Amino acid sequence: MHILVTGGAGYIGSHTCILLIEAGYDVIVFDNFSNASKESIKRVEKIVGEEITLIEGDIRNRDDLHNVFNMYKIDAVIHFAGLKAVGESVEKPLKYYDNNIHGTIVLCEVMAEHHCKSIVFSSSATVYGDPHTTPIKENFPLSATNPYGRSKLFIEEMLRDLYISDNAWKVVLLRYFNPVGAHTSGTIGEDPYGIPNNLMPFIAQTAVGTREYLSVFGDDYDTHDGTGVRDYLHVMDLADGHVKALDKINNFNEVITINLGTGTGYSVLDMVKAFEKASGKQVPYKIAPRRAGDIAKCFADATYAKEILGWEATRSIDEMCQDSWRWQSNNPNGYKKED
Ligand code: NAD
Ligand code: UFG
């Protein structure tokens, strides 16, 4: 079975490619490298011991996509391609709507023209906005507080409408909580450009000495130690969720929406301690003001994923930190430079 993986050279995509290939799927990676390097796929090839078809192209470019669908009989698409920086989306909303929403429209149109109507979409826990309670279930009210979140919410709605218009579509919406960690080889991992926005890469870069200290955004939240609580999830568990979604996609006769999280929340300071234990390094930090738009607590009720996909996260916070540290310490400058 041929699977087109849009955004397959990125952080989650590259890890997912490994498990797809190990599961026997034929993978075609399609990426415009706006936030990834070709090196990630070279390293995935080393891990799996085979060449991967890699096509440089943009999901907004109809010709790029037609070429791929003409070359291969694609059976399903895993759609990771998208921009994901919340702050940038506030500054450049049209860039996000164009890339994420317009890109998905073109992708779905080309898919339909080639009679490929199965899609697994990367959504996000951000679609729950500020949840009224935790753990968060799939049927909680949805809202968005920034253009990035709104692009996810809108794409979810768009894919639901597409299914209503044509029941031949198979749509799985995966709402990720906070993916962290790396493949155990330590050769691939998260490689953000510039100063990381997310906690885990910032902690890892502080431990390795690239950053002086971590700013902890607020210690006066209503949580066990006052710092923000999130559902951190190992990227290989998340990757496994995609393979399971794909394995089952033909059994579904409605749009399926699934939380992918562990069901456990850890605070910023819990993560700092776990990372110090895993790395043997100090992670200096200072308490800073709250970050605009942040919420106190966000963690999943992940029971539906177990029920419908037979999926649950298996890797601990210690494994997340150990694997993240192996990647960061082996590649202090990420993919780009001399490691
Ligand atoms: P990433 O930036 O590492 O990967 C996205 C990939 O898509 C990159 O390789 C980028 O070059 C590519 N891309 C972007 N726009 C494209 C376009 N127009 N055409 C072709 N390729 C394009 O991000 P990631 O962390 O791997 O996230 C993957 C998906 O999961 C994204 O849609 C993201 O919004 C979603 N998501 C991520 C998180 C997270 O915390 N990492 C959480 C929830 C949801
Ligand atoms: N944090 C710090 N210091 C930092 C970075 C983060 O204290 O330098 C704190 C945040 O305040 C928050 C926690 O660490 O309490 C996690 O922050 P992240 O930025 O790592 O993650 P978020 O939960 O804010 O957001 C992430 C993605 C979003 C996605 C959301 C839900 O960035 O795109 O998870 O999936 F929508």
Side-chain angles (χ1 to χ4, degrees):
M1 236 176 124
H2 287 91
I3 310 301
L4 181 68
V5 184
T6 73
Y11 172 46
I12 304 169
S14 57
H15 288 80
T16 303
C17 285
I18 297 173
L19 294 191
L20 286 171
I21 291 165
E22 287 176 359
Y25 288 104
D26 294 311
V27 166
I28 293 128
V29 170
F30 183 89
D31 204 300
N32 69 353
F33 300 103
S34 58
N35 196 37
S37 117
K38 289 183 184 156
E39 181 63 20
S40 68
I41 293 299
K42 284 197 190 128
R43 296 189 186 186
V44 171
E45 287 177 333
K46 272 202 184 139
I47 293 169
V48 297
E50 60 182 76
E51 267 187 35
I52 294 174
T53 309
L54 173 59
I55 295 179
E56 185 162 0
D58 194 298
I59 52 167
R60 291 165 296 179
N61 185 318
R62 224 167 272 276
D63 293 340
D64 287 353
L65 284 171
H66 275 303
N67 287 341
V68 181
F69 280 87
N70 284 333
M71 262 189 291
Y72 304 94
K73 200 210 149 295
I74 307 285
D75 298 289
V77 175
I78 303 188
H79 180 28
F80 292 109
L83 298 175
K84 62 167 185 177
V86 173
E88 190 193 38
S89 82
V90 176
E91 284 159 27
K92 298 177 181 167
L94 300 183
K95 178 176 172 183
Y96 275 67
Y97 293 134
D98 177 49
N99 196 82
N100 295 2
I101 298 179
H102 172 212
T104 304
I105 293 172
V106 176
L107 173 66
C108 291
E109 284 175 348
V110 175
M111 285 175 69
E113 281 181 55
H114 292 266
H115 311 290
C116 171
K117 295 187 176 176
S118 297
I119 184 165
V120 177
F121 174 63
S122 299
S123 188
S124 165
T126 193
V127 299
Y128 296 113
D130 191 351
H132 58 284
T133 185
T134 45
I136 300 169
K137 283 181 180 294
E138 286 85 353
N139 62 5
F140 274 24
L142 304 178
S143 68
T145 52
N146 55 69
Y148 165 71
R150 247 181 302 280
S151 77
K152 293 291 176 193
L153 210 49
F154 196 81
I155 293 167
E156 283 200 2
E157 294 298 341
M158 213 165 71
L159 292 173
R160 283 194 194 95
D161 286 339
L162 197 54
Y163 173 77
I164 291 168
S165 73
D166 174 359
N167 289 178
W169 279 89
K170 304 280 181 191
V171 178
V172 181
L173 307 172
L174 298 178
R175 293 182 180 151
Y176 314 157
F177 281 67
N178 291 57
V180 297
H183 186 259
T184 48
S185 63
T187 59
I188 62 167
E190 190 171 8
D191 181 21
Y193 285 137
I195 301 171
N197 293 308
N198 295 116
L199 179 66
M200 209 38 173
F202 205 106
I203 290 181
Q205 292 191 8
T206 308
V208 88
T210 311
R211 312 272 157 215
E212 199 185 335
Y213 63 88
L214 167 76
S215 294
V216 175
F217 297 142
D219 66 349
D220 57 351
Y221 285 108
D222 182 17
T223 63
H224 63 272
D225 61 15
T227 67
V229 164
R230 297 290 183 275
D231 187 334
Y232 298 95
L233 159 77
H234 198 295
V235 67
M236 292 306 292
D237 279 330
L238 180 58
D240 182 45
H242 291 76
V243 177
K244 292 208 160 64
L246 206 53
D247 289 344
K248 298 235 157 72
I249 198 162
N250 286 325
N251 304 344
F252 301 141
N253 290 317
E254 57 183 333
V255 174
I256 304 288
T257 308
I258 308 171
N259 283 342
L260 293 182
T262 64
T264 304
Y266 288 107
S267 73
V268 176
L269 295 182
D270 292 334
M271 295 308 284
V272 169
K273 276 185 220 129
F275 206 92
E276 286 182 333
K277 184 174 141 207
S279 63
K281 300 281 177 190
Q282 277 228 307
V283 179
Y285 67 85
K286 292 183 187 173
I287 304 300
R290 289 182 179 195
R291 183 171 65 179
D294 272 358
I295 55 177
K297 272 189 226 168
C298 175
F299 58 95
D301 178 326
T303 49
Y304 187 55
K306 187 165 183 192
E307 203 183 295
I308 192 149
L309 295 182
W311 175 92
E312 64 185 325
T314 60
R315 293 163 178 87
S316 66
I317 180 178
D318 291 335
E319 287 168 280
M320 297 177 209
C321 293
Q322 284 157 9
D323 292 339
S324 169
W325 176 241
R326 194 175 302 108
W327 153 251
Q328 188 68 55
S329 53
N330 288 346
N331 307 271
N333 300 311
Y335 289 117
K336 305 157 205 78
K337 314 106 202 171
E338 67 304 319
D339 320 311

